[in-house]
Amino acid sequence: MDLKYYIKDVPDFPEPGILFRDITPLLAEPQAWSITLDRLTQLVAFLKPDYIVGIESRGFIFAAPLALDLGAGFVPVRKSGKLPRATFQQQYSLEYRTDTLEIHQDCFKVKPGGRVLVVDDVIATGGTAKCAGDLVGLAGGTLVGFCFLIELTFLAGRDLLPPELPCLSLLTY
Amino acid sequence: MDLKYYIKDVPDFPEPGILFRDITPLLAEPQAWSITLDRLTQLVAFLKPDYIVGIESRGFIFAAPLALDLGAGFVPVRKSGKLPRATFQQQYSLEYRTDTLEIHQDCFKVKPGGRVLVVDDVIATGGTAKCAGDLVGLAGGTLVGFCFLIELTFLAGRDLLPPELPCLSLLTY
């Protein structure tokens, strides 16, 4: 199945000149959604993660079921002010603006130093993913890689990530 | 397994006087997370939904894997301005403030009139869930019920939802 068939191009969103890749048709088609998750699971299983970190909010859609498939825990990285207990914070600049992400300080306490995979729907400039990876380190996790449904290769986001770690993407544009 | 063991009470979040139920420890423990999803699946399977609607952003964590388990499509209901194509919009008042939710107008086009289950992590006053249910109707879906991990029964949120539809929750406080 060609999953790109279910991804819709939306010009000039969220700003003029940006071509947005809309994944909602992929998610709404049961077979396409199931195959997507299966392929992502196969792509990252060799990393044997203890935790899947999902980046708010579209990253949650992939990270939460990946954690189930891989027998891992799910840990959210969220926008500022959303997590209720003590957090580590880090600023990042993404394609359209600057913002702050947070992770709970004790998020890896079930298995301290555990292996952590960071997951998001898209890697664009890489700023969000790098920020999430930094937060994993601050919280005491062992970062083992990054996984994305879509990589916008012309933005070279992977160059911002630690070169020794795998950066895996299912679809590239 | 008593899943409440993994839910942490956080007083005065996000505002003084609010007792927040933090589900992140539940999600981070692989066995607890897996059992949670299994129980939610068992709770709602009889509704035979074609679509699972998840409410941004914690609702995504449950709705996305539920869709996979039930062979359904996943459809996001998002905060204003996040969905890239033509949407229906609806205002709602929730426990702490007023806001707008949106759904893609064509979100159910794979199976028009399909059976739709609305999912979120918590039902408090019910405003968010009611709004999402209204959006399902606007988009031409057949609303068949609501499902929550946690129901705050003292806020009587279910009274705001259509009385003829099942409102299912795994844990109550």
Side-chain angles (χ1 to χ4, degrees):
Chain A
M1 179 183 278
D2 180 8
L3 297 176
K4 282 188 177 180
Y5 174 81
Y6 297 95
I7 294 173
K8 211 171 167 81
D9 292 352
V10 183
D12 300 319
F13 184 88
E15 291 182 2
I18 305 286
L19 180 62
F20 188 85
R21 308 292 182 170
D22 179 18
I23 62 169
T24 60
L26 176 77
L27 302 169
E29 210 290 307
Q31 204 188 349
W33 174 215
S34 175
I35 287 173
T36 299
L37 218 282
D38 286 350
R39 290 186 188 170
L40 285 171
T41 300
Q42 287 166 28
L43 191 64
V44 303
F46 78 97
L47 292 171
K48 301 191 189 315
D50 300 302
Y51 296 99
I52 311 293
V53 162
I55 302 175
E56 185 170 16
S57 58
R58 286 194 304 262
F60 291 0
I61 297 168
F62 301 92
L66 265 177
L68 292 166
D69 271 9
L70 296 165
F74 166 79
V75 170
V77 159
R78 301 201 67 181
K79 309 285 167 60
S80 188
K82 301 288 195 74
L83 290 170
R85 294 180 294 106
T87 63
F88 295 111
Q89 309 188 353
Q90 184 102 337
Q91 281 209 319
Y92 69 109
S93 38
L94 80 174
E95 209 172 346
Y96 327 118
R97 63 181 192 289
T98 300
D99 221 330
T100 300
L101 290 180
E102 294 189 321
I103 199 167
H104 270 146
Q105 291 186 5
D106 67 355
C107 63
F108 302 130
K109 80 168 181 182
V110 174
K111 187 162 185 174
R115 299 169 61 83
V116 182
L117 174 69
V118 171
V119 172
D120 207 355
D121 62 332
V122 175
I123 176 166
T125 63
T128 316
K130 183 187 184 314
C131 180
D134 291 346
L135 287 169
V136 166
L138 286 171
T142 303
L143 186 62
V144 297
F146 296 86
C147 171
F148 309 95
L149 174 65
I150 293 172
E151 179 174 0
L152 305 178
T153 53
F154 58 97
L155 292 172
R158 64 166 59 228
D159 295 351
L160 215 57
L161 305 180
E164 72 279 12
L165 295 180
C167 172
L168 306 162
S169 51
L170 201 55
L171 306 173
T172 55
Y173 289 93
Chain B
M1 179 185 277
D2 179 9
L3 297 177
K4 283 189 177 178
Y5 174 81
Y6 297 95
I7 294 172
K8 210 170 167 81
D9 292 353
V10 183
D12 301 319
F13 184 89
E15 290 182 3
I18 304 286
L19 180 62
F20 188 85
R21 308 292 182 169
D22 178 18
I23 62 170
T24 61
L26 176 78
L27 303 169
E29 211 289 307
Q31 205 189 349
W33 175 216
S34 176
I35 288 173
T36 298
L37 218 281
D38 286 350
R39 290 186 188 169
L40 285 171
T41 300
Q42 288 166 27
L43 191 64
V44 303
F46 77 97
L47 291 171
K48 300 192 190 312
D50 300 302
Y51 296 100
I52 311 292
V53 162
I55 303 174
E56 184 172 14
S57 56
R58 285 194 305 262
F60 291 0
I61 298 169
F62 301 92
L66 265 177
L68 292 167
D69 271 8
L70 296 165
F74 166 78
V75 171
V77 159
R78 300 201 67 180
K79 309 287 166 59
S80 188
K82 303 286 196 75
L83 289 170
R85 295 179 295 105
T87 63
F88 295 111
Q89 308 188 351
Q90 183 102 337
Q91 280 208 318
Y92 69 109
S93 38
L94 79 174
E95 208 171 346
Y96 328 116
R97 62 182 193 287
T98 300
D99 221 329
T100 300
L101 289 180
E102 295 189 321
I103 199 167
H104 270 146
Q105 290 185 5
D106 67 355
C107 63
F108 303 129
K109 80 168 182 181
V110 175
K111 187 162 186 175
R115 300 169 60 83
V116 182
L117 174 68
V118 170
V119 172
D120 207 354
D121 62 331
V122 174
I123 177 167
T125 62
T128 316
K130 183 187 184 313
C131 180
D134 291 346
L135 287 169
V136 166
L138 286 170
T142 304
L143 185 63
V144 297
F146 296 86
C147 171
F148 309 96
L149 174 66
I150 292 172
E151 180 175 0
L152 305 178
T153 54
F154 58 97
L155 292 171
R158 63 166 59 228
D159 295 352
L160 214 58
L161 305 180
E164 72 280 12
L165 295 180
C167 172
L168 306 162
S169 51
L170 202 55
L171 306 172
T172 54
Y173 289 93

